[in-house]
Amino acid sequence: MVVDPDGEIIYVYLPETLYEQYIRYQSVPDIALSIVILPALIQVLSYMVLNRGNDIDEQKWYMVIEKKIRSLDKDINDLFNEKISPLELAQMILENPVERSFNEIKGIVGIED
């Protein structure tokens, strides 16, 4: 998987076989989200930290992420100041995808709490 944030839109490139599997498993969206989107978002948040001050804050995707962070009552400077990690923030932005994935797996295999 390759994440390309250089431009107005972030592109996530998957090898053809992985892309086909991603499409095939859309019936389990939380699992697919955790496998593909979560790591891509973590990489983008890390990219934001590494490239702070390099005019990336003018990119549309940056503004969307920043707005989402504010909607969570968080400050993007907490990411820059390492008060919150890219992993923690990505999970908040995506509304706990790992937990939702485990719940989805429980539903598939029929496990009850």
Side-chain angles (χ1 to χ4, degrees):
M1 175 168 59
V2 175
V3 179
D4 180 7
D6 293 330
E8 286 293 311
I9 298 171
I10 297 169
Y11 290 97
V12 178
Y13 298 100
L14 296 172
E16 186 175 346
T17 56
L18 291 180
Y19 176 75
E20 289 169 0
Q21 290 175 331
Y22 178 76
I23 296 301
R24 185 178 314 125
Y25 295 116
Q26 289 301 302
S27 62
V28 285
D30 292 322
I31 295 170
L33 182 87
S34 291
I35 293 171
V36 177
I37 305 303
L38 178 62
L41 182 56
I42 293 167
Q43 186 169 346
V44 168
L45 293 171
S46 297
Y47 176 86
M48 290 169 65
V49 171
L50 291 173
N51 290 282
R52 182 177 181 198
N54 290 340
D55 296 328
I56 63 167
D57 58 341
E58 297 174 11
Q59 298 292 351
K60 184 176 182 175
W61 62 261
Y62 183 101
M63 290 183 259
V64 169
I65 291 172
E66 185 175 33
K67 183 177 179 181
K68 178 62 178 178
I69 292 169
R70 282 194 310 269
S71 78
L72 297 168
D73 292 325
K74 299 293 179 190
D75 188 324
I76 196 163
N77 288 314
D78 290 343
L79 176 66
F80 298 142
N81 297 329
E82 298 180 10
K83 291 181 181 177
I84 191 166
S85 72
L87 173 59
E88 291 173 293
L89 188 55
Q91 290 181 90
M92 288 178 199
I93 290 170
L94 297 175
E95 302 173 0
N96 300 314
V98 174
E99 180 180 347
R100 291 194 337 258
S101 294
F102 280 118
N103 288 333
E104 204 166 64
I105 291 169
K106 282 195 297 187
I108 293 169
V109 296
I111 297 174
E112 294 184 26
D113 289 329

